[in-house]
């Protein structure tokens, strides 16, 4: 501590070390938060269901998505990425996932929402497997903290079925 | 900065940084604002830097008392014995 430069160096080193520890503890404090999010998705209308010229099935639908993800937010949460995926099984693959809609939630106030939207991304099967197909609508979310590791979870909503006929 | 001042400066630096970190963390956690935690800690670091880094007069209250140069003349530095080197050389050759 004998010179100006030595003191400045010592101060900076200790300050940054303590800051790193604070961030680690802040990240650890997230483990005390046990979130209880809820979600409800209604298929309001299937307004297009057709076979494309290349043989793939395509669906266009209007969804009503209500979700309360506020309990995911802690003081260490930067944002939450949420997306709704259609998930179904075909004879070829056990799990087919299609993202229909997504959003980035940047504050706790905006984490409780109810929207009616048509699917943002095309619901197209690689093949012609969708007639009468039962599928799940799953709300996935990825929590992005300010410090620490990201984590993801989901709510699976089942019991949806596509019509037997193209329209 | 004298020896005592350096010791005090280092101790104060550690205490101030740890206290401001604790205050910042608790305040941020209770209010629920990460930004507030960072701002309080940044303020603490700047304040600590102002207290610790400049050579303030209160770090120079214990100056070293050097002996007067006349004392050195009275007690001259002992001179090395001249033939000790030769003895070593002879031993090695044997």
């Amino acid at each position: 501590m004998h010179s100006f430069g030595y003191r400045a160096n010592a101060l900076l080193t200790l300050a940054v070390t303590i800051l790193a520890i604070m961030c680690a503890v802040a990240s650890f404090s997230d483990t005390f938060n046990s979130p209880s999010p809820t979600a409800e998705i209604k298929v309001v209308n299937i307004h297009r269901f057709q076979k494309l010229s290349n043989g793939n099935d395509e669906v266009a639908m209007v969804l009503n998505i209500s979700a309360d993800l506020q309990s995911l937010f802690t003081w260490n949460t930067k944002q939450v990425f949420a997306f709704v995926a259609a998930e179904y099984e075909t004879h070829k693959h056990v799990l087919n996932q299609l993202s229909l809609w997504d959003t980035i939630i940047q504050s706790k106030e905006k984490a409780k929402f109810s929207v009616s939207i048509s699917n943002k991304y095309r619901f197209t099967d690689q093949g012609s497997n969708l007639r009468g197909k039962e599928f799940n609508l799953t709300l996935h979310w990825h929590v992005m903290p300010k410090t620490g590791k990201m984590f993801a979870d989901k709510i699976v909503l089942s019991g949806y079925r596509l019509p037997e006929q193209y329209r | 900065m004298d020896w005592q001042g350096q010791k005090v400066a280092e101790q104060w630096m550690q205490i101030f940084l740890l206290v401001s970190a604790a205050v910042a963390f608790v305040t941020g956690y209770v209010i629920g604002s990460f930004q507030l935690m960072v701002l309080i800690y940044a303020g603490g670091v700047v304040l600590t830097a102002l207290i610790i880094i400049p050579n303030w007069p209160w770090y120079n209250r214990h100056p070293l008392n050097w002996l007067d140069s006349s004392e050195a003349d009275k007690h001259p530095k002992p001179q090395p014995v001249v033939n000790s080197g030769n003895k070593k050389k002879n031993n090695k050759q044997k």
Side-chain angles (χ1 to χ4, degrees), chain A residues 50-59 122-130 166:
Chain A
Q50 60 192 16
K51 193 170 193 164
L52 300 175
S53 57
N54 58 11
N56 291 344
D57 278 355
E58 194 200 351
V59 187
R122 291 167 69 125
F123 188 166
T124 310
D125 182 52
Q126 291 187 341
S128 182
N129 308 303
L130 290 185
Y166 294 125

Side-chain angles (χ1 to χ4, degrees), chain B residues 22-36:
Chain B
V23 170
F25 189 88
V26 170
T27 313
Y29 187 79
V30 168
I31 296 185
S33 165
F34 200 89
Q35 192 187 8
L36 188 67

Side-chain angles (χ1 to χ4, degrees), chain A residues 79-141:
Chain A
Q79 62 186 16
V80 172
F81 173 69
F83 67 99
V84 173
E87 297 174 345
Y88 56 95
E89 190 181 336
T90 58
H91 61 274
K92 221 173 167 182
H93 300 290
V94 179
L95 179 63
N96 299 268
Q97 274 185 312
L98 285 160
S99 176
L100 300 182
W101 174 80
D102 61 16
T103 186
I104 297 169
I105 306 161
Q106 291 186 306
S107 68
K108 191 172 186 170
E109 291 73 41
K110 291 176 184 163
K112 191 174 181 177
F113 57 89
S114 179
V115 286
S116 274
I117 37 90
S118 58
N119 51 320
K120 194 169 164 183
Y121 308 112
R122 291 167 69 125
F123 188 166
T124 310
D125 182 52
Q126 291 187 341
S128 182
N129 308 303
L130 290 185
R131 272 172 299 172
K133 177 64 71 184
E134 204 168 292
F135 65 103
N136 293 340
L137 286 173
T138 306
L139 180 71
H140 293 259
W141 60 84

Side-chain angles (χ1 to χ4, degrees), chain A residues 6-39:
Chain A
Y6 192 95
R7 288 193 294 273
N9 180 273
L11 179 85
L12 195 70
T13 310
L14 186 64
V16 172
T17 307
I18 292 175
L19 183 64
I21 293 167
M22 287 161 77
C23 289
V25 177
S27 176
F28 178 74
S29 74
D30 274 353
T31 57
F32 300 121
N33 182 43
S34 48
S36 54
T38 58

